Amino acid sequence: MFNKYKLLIKNFNLTYEEYKKIENEKKCYENPQSALISALTLLQKNRGWIDDNTISSVAKIFDVSISDVECLATFYSQIFRKAVGKHIIRYCDSIVCFITGYKDIENEIIRQLNIRPGQTTFDNRFTLLPVCCLGNCNKAPTIMIDDNVYNNLNFKDIKKLLEDYD
């Protein structure tokens, strides 16, 4: 049985564990294609981002077109189609965060890391991404580093905050 999976996995460019997790996720839905986002998220967690080969593999597993998977992957801002840093910094650039001073925070992050929004530091430590909302308008300005949310920030907080991430 394992040899059957080994050949299958080779064709899909996935590990056995990745393939099994995706197959298990598909069972959770009446329509297995509903698990596409879950599959992309799972693979990204293991690989850091979703490359073209991964898009192709997911399309094969779900028996959908590559363009269908590509459309889904590029629609969701949490799916990365290019390599990103070890830590993802998302900062809210909504009107509420704008009013409460996100520009000072954005400028300090840019100064500290020497990168622009959408870029990754030379050492691959951080990627900086603007997002339209982090859902913390009552605690603005807000940034998120990986899964950690930081509220009511000012630019003086940034240096110490970045030092906490290796």
Side-chain angles (χ1 to χ4, degrees), residues 82-114:
K82 64 179 188 174
V84 293
K86 180 179 178 182
H87 302 289
I88 308 298
I89 301 172
R90 294 176 181 90
Y91 65 93
C92 184
D93 64 359
S94 73
I95 189 66
V96 174
C97 283
F98 178 80
I99 291 168
T100 57
Y102 96 83
K103 276 309 240 185
D104 291 337
I105 291 167
E106 176 192 49
N107 290 335
E108 185 63 14
I109 293 170
I110 289 168
R111 191 180 75 71
Q112 290 285 327
L113 299 179
N114 197 29

Side-chain angles (χ1 to χ4, degrees), residues 89-94 96-98 100-102 105-106 109 129-131 133-145 148-154 158 161:
I89 301 172
R90 294 176 181 90
Y91 65 93
C92 184
D93 64 359
S94 73
V96 174
C97 283
F98 178 80
T100 57
Y102 96 83
I105 291 167
E106 176 192 49
I109 293 170
L129 300 174
V131 295
C133 186
L134 288 171
N136 280 329
C137 296
N138 62 328
K139 300 172 187 168
T142 299
I143 69 169
M144 185 175 185
I145 303 178
N148 304 310
V149 177
Y150 302 94
N151 303 302
N152 301 312
L153 293 171
N154 70 57
I158 298 304
L161 198 58

Side-chain angles (χ1 to χ4, degrees), residues 20-155:
K20 288 302 289 177
K21 285 179 181 178
I22 291 171
E23 286 300 316
N24 287 334
E25 190 67 24
K26 285 169 61 176
K27 294 175 187 174
C28 296
Y29 297 90
E30 186 175 324
N31 178 350
Q33 291 178 0
S34 298
L36 273 164
I37 287 292
S38 297
L40 291 170
T41 303
L42 178 144
L43 293 169
Q44 179 173 279
K45 188 171 185 159
N46 288 350
R47 299 164 179 226
W49 63 292
I50 301 296
D51 64 10
D52 291 341
N53 289 333
T54 304
I55 292 286
S56 178
S57 296
V58 170
K60 288 178 192 174
I61 289 172
F62 285 89
D63 194 28
V64 297
S65 71
I66 290 172
S67 65
D68 285 345
V69 179
E70 178 70 26
C71 285
L72 202 58
T74 55
F75 177 78
Y76 290 98
S77 64
Q78 303 298 320
I79 302 295
F80 305 123
R81 289 292 283 126
K82 64 179 188 174
V84 293
K86 180 179 178 182
H87 302 289
I88 308 298
I89 301 172
R90 294 176 181 90
Y91 65 93
C92 184
D93 64 359
S94 73
I95 189 66
V96 174
C97 283
F98 178 80
I99 291 168
T100 57
Y102 96 83
K103 276 309 240 185
D104 291 337
I105 291 167
E106 176 192 49
N107 290 335
E108 185 63 14
I109 293 170
I110 289 168
R111 191 180 75 71
Q112 290 285 327
L113 299 179
N114 197 29
I115 59 173
R116 308 289 309 158
Q119 294 181 335
T120 300
T121 56
F122 181 73
D123 61 1
N124 291 318
R125 190 169 154 218
F126 292 105
T127 297
L128 180 60
L129 300 174
V131 295
C132 61
C133 186
L134 288 171
N136 280 329
C137 296
N138 62 328
K139 300 172 187 168
T142 299
I143 69 169
M144 185 175 185
I145 303 178
D146 301 332
D147 294 327
N148 304 310
V149 177
Y150 302 94
N151 303 302
N152 301 312
L153 293 171
N154 70 57
F155 75 96

